């Protein structure tokens, strides 16, 4: 998903939602990764620590921190090039808001719901790309 669909390049930043899932562990070592704990009941200090041990540069605990605010802080208000979204409606808005200008959101799931909303003005004014991917 990150390479074929989102065309993630070396040096780009990516927000990977759901650190408790198996999807987040697949990454190329020369990419900087922003991590987030899993949605709902999956957030825990143990999962944050595991993500750091596996090479995450930053972790965001969704229970105590607002995703979009932390991404903006970490990236000096720039945002990430790619958001890897597979959670669904619970994180959709934060995923979009975390993207840099011309950022790409790639999604393969909807665990928390499929009826996500989108302000089209935000899509075209920020030149964002939405990409669907069937599984990985």
């Amino acid at each position: 998903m990150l390479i074929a669909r989102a065309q993630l390049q070396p040096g780009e930043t990516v927000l990977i939602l759901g650190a408790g899932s198996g999807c987040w562990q697949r990454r190329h070592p020369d990419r900087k990764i922003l991590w987030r704990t899993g949605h709902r009941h999956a957030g825990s200090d143990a999962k944050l620590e595991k993500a750091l041990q596996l090479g995450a540069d930053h972790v965001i605990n969704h229970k105590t921190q607002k995703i979009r605010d932390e991404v903006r802080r970490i990236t000096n208000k720039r945002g990430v090039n790619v958001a890897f979204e597979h959670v669904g409606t619970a994180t959709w808005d934060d995923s979009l808001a975390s993207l840099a200008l011309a950022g790409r959101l790639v999604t393969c799931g909807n665990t928390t719901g499929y009826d996500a909303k989108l302000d089209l003005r935000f899509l075209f004014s920020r030149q964002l790309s939405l990409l669907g991917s069937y599984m990985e």
Side-chain angles (χ1 to χ4, degrees), residues 30-42:
D30 66 349
R31 292 182 174 81
K32 296 210 175 276
I33 308 293
L34 299 176
W35 302 84
R36 177 193 176 265
T37 61
H39 62 284
R40 293 188 180 184
H41 307 297

Side-chain angles (χ1 to χ4, degrees), residues 2-126:
L2 291 174
I3 306 303
R5 291 295 289 146
Q7 299 181 358
L8 185 65
Q9 300 297 309
E12 290 190 314
T13 55
V14 59
L15 170 66
I16 298 180
L17 299 172
S21 74
C23 298
W24 67 275
Q25 296 181 34
R26 297 182 183 109
R27 72 176 183 91
H28 195 278
D30 66 349
R31 292 182 174 81
K32 296 210 175 276
I33 308 293
L34 299 176
W35 302 84
R36 177 193 176 265
T37 61
H39 62 284
R40 293 188 180 184
H41 307 297
S44 72
D45 290 339
K47 289 179 182 176
L48 293 172
E49 183 58 37
K50 181 69 171 178
L52 288 169
Q53 289 173 4
L54 291 171
D57 292 315
H58 303 278
V59 293
I60 302 169
N61 186 328
H62 74 283
K63 290 184 177 181
T64 60
Q65 300 169 297
K66 187 148 179 71
I67 299 166
R68 68 180 76 192
D69 293 345
E70 285 301 302
V71 168
R72 293 289 176 197
R73 182 186 65 76
I74 292 165
T75 63
N76 293 318
K77 299 183 181 177
R78 183 183 173 282
V80 295
N81 302 102
V82 175
F84 171 63
E85 166 67 62
H86 63 99
V87 177
T89 55
T91 56
W92 183 259
D93 289 341
D94 280 328
S95 294
L96 284 172
S98 295
L99 290 172
L101 185 65
R104 293 139 9 239
L105 184 149
V106 61
T107 183
C108 69
N110 60 325
T111 306
T112 63
Y114 61 88
D115 194 20
K117 306 290 186 218
L118 174 65
D119 184 334
L120 292 175
R121 298 171 298 179
F122 187 70
L123 182 69
F124 65 75
S125 67
R126 307 245 2 262

